[in-house]
Amino acid sequence: MRSAGAGLRLPHLAAVAATTPSVAWFEIHPENFLANPHARELLMTIAQRYPISVHTVGVSIGSVDGIDRGHLARVRELIDDLDPVLVSGHLAWSTHQGAYLNDLLPLPYDDETLELVSTHVHQVQDALRRPYLVENPSSYVGFGTSTMTEVEFLGELARRTGCGLLCDVSNVFLSGHNMGYDPYRYIDAFPAGAVRELHLGGFVAEDDDATPDGTQILIDTHGTVIAEPVWKLYAHTLRRFGAAPTLIEWDNDIPEPDTLFSEVRKANAVAAEALTDTDSHVVAG
Ligand SMILES: [Fe+2]
């Protein structure tokens, strides 16, 4: 798990099962496999050959309505079959009054939210019987009522629950751009001791009607290659955190497998160079 891995999406399942490409590990969204027996069968074949990481997109740890226990039970059943090396999800909410919203929505960073999210992370870890990693979100707006920074919130969440953290370096970069903070200072303040995994994903710049001065907003599409400034931030992140399992996420406009895997090779090359002269420690893997 020291090498980079790739997001495994449904269009690539059959090819990966048939050709066994040279990739160290894959990450899946369990929600893709809960009602798709054929895909699940292919996944089980792939899981015999590769370490698998499970990244949930439907476990809404920020929802005031509480965790959907039925969904969590279905995810746990898949996890019990897969025995993944890592299990993670987002610091966000995506359900309200039983309805699933097709977005990962932001939270205010205050004591009340910390209490709520901590309770839910405990419930998830108890149900899954393994540590859960919580990922920093991609942000477009913030809450004026927040009383702590995102980094402080994540650090306290990890301290209270024992959860690990998944640092999405692209999210740090684009949120820094959109919210007006320095992504390097964010990484420098991030609780490095809790980091178990990194993410890299593509984003696009779009004109923003809310900023008439012509400033563009960065949208987290996971639909293109990793931007050059993010590779530089990734190198800085590795020098600070040490080696960590790194995933290339690509969820929209999914390319041929080789295009995805070339980004994986690039992540390995950037990591090798960043860590060459660094007295780094291995975070996990
Ligand atoms: Fe991510």
Side-chain angles (χ1 to χ4, degrees):
M1 292 287 286
R2 294 189 189 194
S3 298
L8 180 59
R9 304 297 171 248
L10 295 177
H12 291 163
L13 269 185
V16 168
T19 62
T20 321
S22 176
V23 175
W25 56 283
F26 288 102
E27 185 161 285
I28 61 128
H29 294 166
E31 287 79 3
N32 287 340
F33 299 91
L34 298 181
N36 189 336
H38 177 60
R40 193 163 174 148
E41 202 173 302
L42 286 170
L43 174 62
M44 289 305 160
T45 302
I46 294 166
Q48 289 170 6
R49 302 169 188 162
Y50 297 93
I52 300 292
S53 168
V54 168
H55 187 59
T56 67
V57 291
V59 176
S60 182
I61 60 171
S63 174
V64 291
D65 298 334
I67 300 287
D68 179 341
R69 298 296 189 131
H71 179 72
L72 194 57
R74 290 188 288 278
V75 170
R76 173 179 156 175
E77 191 191 330
L78 180 66
I79 283 174
D80 284 348
D81 286 349
L82 275 175
D83 193 22
V85 287
L86 297 167
V87 181
S88 59
H90 300 92
L91 177 61
W93 61 280
S94 55
T95 59
H96 182 61
Q97 296 182 343
Y100 274 86
L101 310 170
N102 199 21
D103 274 306
L104 297 165
L105 298 163
L107 295 162
Y109 298 133
D110 57 22
D111 289 333
E112 188 182 349
T113 310
L114 186 58
E115 192 71 40
L116 177 85
V117 174
S118 297
T119 300
H120 291 163
V121 169
H122 277 305
Q123 289 172 358
V124 170
Q125 294 187 133
D126 288 348
L128 300 182
R129 294 178 298 197
R130 60 186 71 220
Y132 194 64
L133 314 185
V134 177
E135 176 177 356
N136 58 299
S138 51
S139 300
Y140 308 92
V141 291
F143 287 86
T145 55
S146 289
T147 56
M148 60 188 99
T149 66
E150 185 169 287
V151 164
E152 289 167 344
F153 187 95
L154 287 166
E156 186 59 19
L157 181 65
R159 193 190 67 75
R160 288 189 187 191
T161 66
C163 74
L165 298 178
L166 191 172
C167 182
D168 187 314
V169 178
S170 296
N171 286 357
V172 173
F173 183 86
L174 79 85
S175 298
H177 172 91
N178 293 340
M179 307 289 288
Y181 63 73
D182 179 351
Y184 285 81
R185 291 181 68 175
Y186 182 107
I187 293 293
D188 290 347
F190 203 84
V195 173
R196 301 288 176 271
E197 184 182 344
L198 305 176
H199 272 181
L200 296 168
F203 53 73
V204 295
E206 288 187 4
D207 291 335
D208 179 16
D209 294 342
T211 52
D213 62 352
T215 307
Q216 289 191 310
I217 190 169
L218 300 182
I219 309 288
D220 188 24
T221 58
H222 294 180
T224 185
V225 294
I226 313 304
E228 211 47 51
V230 174
W231 287 118
K232 290 192 174 67
L233 184 63
Y234 174 54
H236 176 81
T237 302
L238 289 172
R239 285 187 214 104
R240 170 143 199 281
F241 296 172
T246 299
L247 179 82
I248 303 295
E249 297 187 286
W250 203 319
D251 297 296
N252 293 297
D253 296 329
I254 295 176
E256 290 299 308
D258 280 351
T259 304
L260 172 63
F261 300 154
S262 76
E263 291 292 273
V264 172
R265 289 191 290 275
K266 185 162 182 181
N268 287 331
V270 170
E273 190 176 342
L275 296 169
T276 297
D277 299 321
T278 307
D279 185 21
S280 65
H281 65 286
V282 173
V283 173

